Every structure is written in structure tokens, then in C-alpha cells.
Amino acid sequence: MESLTIPTWAQLVFLLCAVGFILALKGLSGPRTARVGNLVGAGAATVACALPFFYADLDHVVLILVAIAIGTAIGVIGAQRVQMTQMPQLVALFNGVGGGAAALVALLELRRLAELDELGADIPVAYLVATGFTILVGSVSFSGSAVTFAKLQELMTSRPVVFPGLPIAFGGAFVAALVVAGLIVGQPAVWAGIVLGLLGLAVGVLLVLPVGGADVPIVISLLNAFTGLTVAAGGYVLQNTVLLVAGTLVGASGTFLTLLMAGAMGRSVPNILFGALKGGSTLGAGEASDRPVRSAGPSDVAILLAYAERVIVVPGYGLAVAQAQHTLRELVDLLAERGTKVDYAIHPVAGRMPGHMNVLLAEAQVPYEQLVEMDDINAEFKQTDVVLVVGANDVVNPAARTTPSAPIYGMPILDVDQARQVVFMKRSMRPGFAGIENELLFDPRTTLLFGDAKDSMGKLLAAVKAL
């Protein structure tokens, strides 16, 4: 079969770019090396994108450059303007675009393979399988990521969307996609590729619609793995080393991240994807409670903190929304100067994605040594004088241990309920993302400080300074 000709020197450069991606992934595994790792990955990607201009006889070069310029402008402006709270949506959007691009490239490659087939060329079955796989899974990733973006951006309800016949529709679309993919393997045809892509779009939508609540970020990670696999398959078809290695890295890391996130939620991936179809839900009622609670003002909470020897801060999504991380760091620094031992307790899925809180607090120059993972800090809550919960709810809800009917039951949580005193900074009594009440709010040891987190944190900081 006629193959795409890539000079040996270009393949070697692609290989070096692939090594750069591996080094970048290694660098991203730690906070001290993350910035350098990110730059190495970006540099390798830039070289890989520019390389074809130096060895390939490209058509429509002007249009390609215009498309690159437009895409670069959109990416730079979008990345600069996106809020930290919207980072998961941005990841979903970029991931979907990657899957869609892989599917379109595979569709173009299918046209070339169809032309070769008409000329009687011997096309390896593995090429046709990889091409069909890329079209199908890339389309699933594109449409599924679009739905996750809409859910997180609140363009549609974040609750599971289930309708009569959804399992049948999903199963039918999936089976039909497999049949069409089989036709492509038997005889490559562009029309079959287009139909396969449309079926993949339908499968992606139907796959993500029943997912709701805190499970959406896990699905983003799963779709990210799908995109990586499509890029790897596309690299095999195009005989491109850098695509093959980069796609494999994304696919493998996305798979591990999905499993880790599911484990942190105490759920299995099939349960996350299809639990709502069996009548379950990742959301509760979502109604605010009118039960009495003990509340206090900033001055009262300041006294609790000022006379505490051990304080643990639990940051959550509300902290990110209010952009109160800088004021929180000032408060923690002030307490530490006065001899109080203070750490931040980080739940694996605090915020909307793993690492969300780490990045948010790093932005406020919080020392990495103060960020302690759940497994390492849970044993310390029993000896803690005050736990300050800022914008978190579900990750400290004891219902995960005590209430089998709760949608978060089985999810590992921070053992905040074992501390001597707990202070919740909340805007209202509205439940967290899982939509269920937190019994810890009504515990006699719990004090609530109502208000916007940034405003309340500023008042609390001033009150502590005044003591």
C-alpha cells in the first residue's frame, strides 16, 4: 500500500518531540517542576506542528496558516480570560476539539484509503480498523465533551437527563456504529465514514446526558482518555511517531485519572456512567434547609481561631468562586506568625477536578508544604482545635459514611466531624453539588459564618488582627 512519506530526519525530530511530551508529563507530576514541564510540552508541540511545513509538499498553505492563526488567537484569549472556576469547562472544550479534529483527519484518511482500494491496492486491515476507531471514538469524545461543557457552564441542567427509551436509543446507536465500522473494515467508503461519525456524535450525547452532579468531571477525564486513544490510532494510520506517543500518553494518563477520581468518589466507572438509568442519581433534592443552626459573626470566629493551637483549613469550590484565596493565605500566615499550626486539607476531588485547589492556592503563593492530602491529614482531625471549611460541603459530609441512601455514600471524605470545633463559611444553607443536606452543619460543635467568602474572609482577617 502506498504510504505517507516522512523523511528519516523528520521522523527523528518527531521522536524528539515525543520524548519532550514524556518529559513534560513527568514535570507536571510535581508542583516545583510543573511550570518547566508545561513549557517543554508546549515547545515540543510547537515544533511538531511546524515540522510538516519543512518536509511535506502541502496544498492550501495560506488557508492552513490562517486557520492556525485563528486557532492560536482563540486559544490565547480564551486561556487568559478563563476564570479558575471555569477551568474544567475549558478542559472539556479543548478535549472535545481534539477528539473532533482526530475524527476529521481520520475521515480524510478514509477517503485516501477508499481511492487506493478502488485502484486495487492491498490495504492492511489494521489501518482500516484504526481509521474506523478514530472516527467513532473521536466523534463520541467531541459530542460528549460538548455536553459536559454545557452542564458545567450551566447552559443546561447539571442533573442527569433521562427519558423513556434512552437505554434502547444508546444501545441501538452503539450497535449501529459497530456495524458501520465493520463495513468500513470490509470496504472503505467515505459515506460509511460520515454515517459512522454521525452515529458517534449520537452515542457521545446519549452517554453523557444521564451523568450529573459531581460525576461530570470524571466523565471529562474519561473522554480525555478517549481523545488520546483516537490520536494514537490516528498516529498509527498516518505513521506519525509524535501522534502515536502523545496520544498514548494522554490515553493512559486519562484512564488512570478516571480510575483515581472514581475511587476518590467511592464509585465505579460503570456506575457513574449508567447509574441514573437504574433509577439512581448523583444529585439530591437540592433544597435549602430551614432547620436551626448556630451562627456567629467574624469577631466570634476570630476568637476561636486566635486561641487555637491547631487549625486545619478545608478549601472548596466556594473559595474558588469567591476568589478569596489571597485573603485566606493572609489569614493563615497571620495565625502561623502567632504560633498556630495551620495546614490545608485537600480532598482528591475538591473543586471540580483533581488539582483544582492546589492550583488555586498556588496562585495565592501558598507554600506547597502546607497542602496535605486527605489520606495524610485525616488522622489529625481528632487533635484539631478548629477546622475552617471555606466553600466545601460534599467532601466533608458524614452522610458519605452513615447514609446508604445518599448519592455520595461510600465516597472517602475529610474527617472534619471529628474535630473539636468546626467553622463553616457559607453563602447560604443551600446544599453542595450533590444536593443533599450536611448533618455536620447542625452539630453543636459547628458554627456558621454566613456571607460571601471573600467579604467574610476579609472581615475575619481584620478581626483577628484586632485581637
Side-chain angles (χ1 to χ4, degrees):
M1 187 191 78
E2 178 188 349
S3 62
L4 298 175
T5 303
I6 300 179
T8 302
W9 69 267
Q11 289 282 28
L12 290 175
V13 176
F14 276 138
L15 181 60
L16 290 175
C17 292
V19 172
F21 290 148
I22 296 173
L23 296 175
L25 191 61
K26 177 63 177 177
L28 291 172
S29 64
R32 293 183 180 85
T33 56
R35 186 181 296 273
V36 173
N38 196 37
L39 292 175
V40 170
T46 301
V47 173
C49 290
L51 192 59
F53 289 95
F54 295 93
Y55 72 81
D57 184 17
L58 300 175
D59 297 325
H60 312 298
V61 174
V62 175
L63 291 177
I64 294 174
L65 293 175
V66 169
I68 291 175
I70 294 174
T72 301
I74 293 174
V76 170
I77 295 173
Q80 288 179 338
R81 294 185 178 180
V82 67
Q83 299 295 320
M84 184 59 63
T85 53
Q86 299 173 325
M87 196 60 68
Q89 292 95 302
L90 184 67
V91 172
L93 194 60
F94 284 172
N95 173 65
V97 170
L104 289 176
V105 170
L107 191 59
L108 292 174
E109 180 64 12
L110 179 62
R111 184 182 68 173
R112 188 180 76 89
L113 295 177
E115 292 173 351
L116 292 175
D117 183 68
E118 292 179 355
L119 296 175
D122 184 19
I123 303 174
V125 173
Y127 275 54
L128 297 173
V129 171
T131 302
F133 174 86
T134 304
I135 294 173
L136 173 58
V137 180
S139 300
V140 170
S141 179
F142 175 76
S143 60
S145 297
V147 176
T148 59
F149 171 83
K151 283 176 175 282
L152 290 177
Q153 195 64 20
E154 298 182 354
L155 300 177
M156 63 179 293
T157 179
S158 61
R159 294 178 175 274
V161 178
V162 181
F163 55 85
L166 190 151
I168 297 176
F170 174 79
F174 184 71
V175 171
L178 293 180
V179 171
V180 176
L183 294 177
I184 290 176
V185 174
Q187 183 176 9
V190 175
W191 69 265
I194 295 174
V195 172
L196 182 60
L198 294 175
L199 288 170
L201 294 176
V203 170
V205 172
L206 295 173
L207 177 69
V208 179
L209 280 180
V211 178
D215 291 339
V216 172
I218 301 177
V219 177
I220 292 177
S221 177
L222 179 63
L223 294 173
N224 185 55
F226 285 179
T227 295
L229 294 175
T230 61
V231 171
Y236 171 75
V237 173
L238 298 175
Q239 301 179 28
N240 188 303
T241 304
V242 72
L243 286 178
L244 183 59
V245 174
T248 302
L249 288 174
V250 173
S253 59
T255 300
F256 279 120
L257 180 59
T258 301
L259 295 175
L260 290 172
M261 290 177 69
M265 295 292 289
R267 312 274 299 285
S268 67
V269 175
N271 178 263
I272 289 168
L273 293 175
F274 307 113
L277 299 180
K278 298 184 293 184
S281 173
T282 55
L283 288 175
E287 298 178 358
S289 173
D290 57 358
R291 294 166 59 187
V293 295
R294 186 176 71 173
S295 62
S299 58
D300 298 317
V301 175
I303 292 174
L304 282 176
L305 294 175
Y307 292 96
E309 296 181 359
R310 181 73 169 104
V311 173
I312 295 178
V313 178
V314 178
Y317 185 68
L319 174 71
V321 172
Q323 289 292 292
Q325 64 269 25
H326 296 278
T327 312
L328 174 61
R329 189 213 70 210
E330 290 184 49
L331 175 64
V332 170
D333 290 347
L334 179 59
L335 293 174
E337 289 173 3
R338 297 184 177 184
T340 304
K341 178 174 173 53
V342 188
D343 287 313
Y344 297 82
I346 307 299
H347 191 277
V349 291
R352 291 286 175 85
M353 292 193 76
H356 197 175
M357 287 299 106
N358 301 65
V359 174
L360 184 77
L361 295 171
E363 182 187 19
Q365 304 301 314
V366 173
Y368 182 72
E369 292 75 16
Q370 291 183 346
L371 308 183
V372 187
E373 299 297 329
M374 178 183 67
D375 292 338
D376 297 324
I377 204 168
N378 262 348
E380 298 188 30
F381 281 107
K382 290 181 180 180
Q383 290 78 43
T384 301
D385 296 311
V386 180
V387 174
L388 180 62
V389 182
V390 189
N393 197 314
D394 298 328
V395 296
V396 300
N397 192 338
R401 293 195 305 259
T402 61
T403 310
S405 61
I408 62 171
Y409 182 72
M411 180 180 80
I413 61 169
L414 293 164
D415 295 334
V416 170
D417 56 325
Q418 298 179 5
R420 298 186 180 103
Q421 294 287 333
V422 180
V423 175
F424 267 89
M425 298 184 68
K426 288 180 65 67
R427 183 185 295 271
S428 69
M429 288 298 293
R430 183 179 178 182
F433 204 52
I436 59 173
E437 274 190 352
N438 189 342
E439 288 296 325
L440 184 58
L441 298 175
F442 310 101
D443 191 288
R445 295 168 297 164
T446 299
T447 301
L448 276 78
L449 177 58
F450 288 108
D452 175 78
K454 188 172 186 178
D455 180 61
S456 296
M457 191 67 69
K459 294 178 180 177
L460 182 57
L461 175 61
V464 172
K465 288 180 177 179
L467 291 175

